[in-house]
Amino acid sequence: MEIHQLRYFAAIMDEGTFTAAAQRLHVSQSGISTQVAKLEAELGQQLLDRSGRQIRLTPAGEAVLPLAKNALATLEAIQHTAAEFGNAVRGRIRLGMIMGCSIPPFLDAVADLGRTHPGIELSLHEDHSDELQTRVLSSSLDLALIGYAGDVAPGLEVSVVLDEPITTLVPVGHPLDRAELRLADLRGHKILCLSPGTGIRSAYEDSCRRIGLDPCVDIDASSPATLLHLAERGAGVAVLSSSSTQGTGLRSIPLADAATHARLGLIARRGQHFPAVQLLRTKLLAALRPE
């Protein structure tokens, strides 16, 4: 087993096709296909289902992929650590993050970088996800943590750290306090959701349009905590992602027909990055994808 075989395998699933993976890694498509086939032969298991129009993971592939990504992240961390002994990593990183970001692992990784690498200067910029994508593409930001639904802008590479359905949150005893809801059930109730340009808002609006509903938001805010506090006070029904429900006294009710998921991802421009940027990216992914 060779490390480049694991890298090719992970890239195929990140990009969705052999062609896109080959373009990202600057190798031939036939070379990637051959090396992944050799990896499968050595493991004695088929990792990719190539029978349909879309490449899918086999059960064995689903089990191996996170291990492969962990191995690649570990190798990258080893390379960075060894390099620091010869020449300490220095530089300036411009990091973007979604408005109202309070994700503990993300903040922990940022704080840890300041302690362990005093030669790196870090500047943080909060904005809506659409604007963050534009700023990364224009090179005014090096990395950004965004919320999105669907695909990111062309020219960006994204590492998905969270992919989950949207849900409703209501106080116990609310008229919508049921085992399950459909989007049409929300009509006649005030809807609380995140601001336009966020992944959760996009997932909600896209899910509504897919079934012919006009998406309506009565109160929006940049912070999930604000919406949760308003919902607790009876201001309306909060529509957020599943992970936003933790630690509240509200009831989380699944939306059975919400087809579009909300995603959280770390984006960067395609291509090479300075060592300091690569170092922070590695730390953030290790913190946000601990499995």
Side-chain angles (χ1 to χ4, degrees):
M1 185 188 310
E2 302 290 340
I3 194 67
H4 67 273
Q5 294 172 338
L6 297 179
R7 185 174 289 112
Y8 293 171
F9 170 50
I12 291 167
M13 295 317 303
D14 285 344
E15 300 297 328
T17 66
F18 282 88
T19 300
Q23 290 173 345
R24 182 181 119 185
L25 298 173
H26 304 291
V27 296
S28 68
Q29 181 177 335
S30 61
I32 282 188
S33 180
T34 298
Q35 290 301 318
V36 172
K38 287 183 178 179
L39 175 63
E40 291 176 318
E42 183 173 345
L43 295 176
Q45 294 289 336
Q46 186 177 349
L47 303 178
L48 300 176
D49 180 355
R50 304 166 175 82
S51 61
R53 297 181 61 183
Q54 230 178 1
I55 298 171
R56 299 183 183 276
L57 288 169
T58 64
E62 290 180 355
V64 169
L65 181 60
L67 298 175
K69 289 189 172 183
N70 283 344
L72 292 170
T74 299
L75 176 63
E76 191 172 358
I78 290 171
Q79 292 170 335
H80 281 304
T81 300
E84 289 175 27
F85 282 93
N87 183 22
V89 177
R90 299 180 180 277
R92 183 170 181 266
I93 306 173
R94 300 156 301 173
L95 175 63
M97 56 187 183
I98 49 179
M99 298 288 289
C101 179
S102 59
I103 302 169
F106 176 83
L107 300 177
D108 290 344
V110 170
D112 181 67
L113 183 77
R115 287 191 296 267
T116 58
H117 295 78
I120 294 178
E121 178 186 349
L122 183 65
S123 58
L124 298 175
H125 306 267
E126 280 191 308
D127 215 325
H128 294 301
S129 295
D130 288 348
E131 182 61 26
L132 290 173
Q133 293 190 58
T134 300
R135 296 180 68 181
V136 171
L137 281 170
S138 68
S139 300
S140 63
L141 290 177
D142 299 302
L143 295 170
L145 182 71
I146 66 166
Y148 67 106
D151 298 319
V152 298
L156 294 175
E157 56 185 34
V158 59
S159 299
V160 180
V161 297
L162 193 66
D163 185 331
E164 58 184 7
I166 56 175
T167 187
T168 55
L169 291 106
V170 298
V172 176
H174 188 278
L176 294 180
D177 185 0
R178 310 171 192 170
E180 187 177 80
L181 291 169
R182 305 185 74 81
L183 287 163
D185 296 330
L186 306 185
R187 288 183 296 184
H189 297 271
K190 288 188 178 297
I191 304 299
L192 318 177
C193 196
L194 292 179
S195 305
T198 59
I200 291 173
R201 179 68 170 264
S202 298
Y204 166 67
E205 292 179 342
D206 183 69
S207 292
C208 286
R209 294 190 181 105
R210 282 172 180 263
I211 58 174
L213 292 178
D214 183 23
C216 174
V217 174
D218 298 283
I219 300 176
D220 62 45
S222 60
S223 168
T226 299
L227 299 176
L228 293 172
H229 291 320
L230 288 171
E232 288 174 334
R233 289 162 174 77
V237 177
V239 176
L240 292 168
S241 62
S242 299
S243 62
S244 303
T245 68
Q246 298 174 2
T248 73
L250 299 170
R251 186 90 75 190
S252 175
I253 316 294
L255 283 166
D257 55 349
T260 306
H261 281 203
R263 293 174 178 167
L264 195 66
L266 189 66
I267 59 169
R269 294 181 305 283
R270 292 191 179 278
Q272 299 297 317
H273 305 292
F274 293 114
V277 176
Q278 290 281 35
L279 176 63
L280 177 57
R281 181 175 180 272
T282 299
K283 283 182 173 289
L284 288 172
L285 290 179
L288 293 166
R289 298 194 305 202
E291 72 277 1

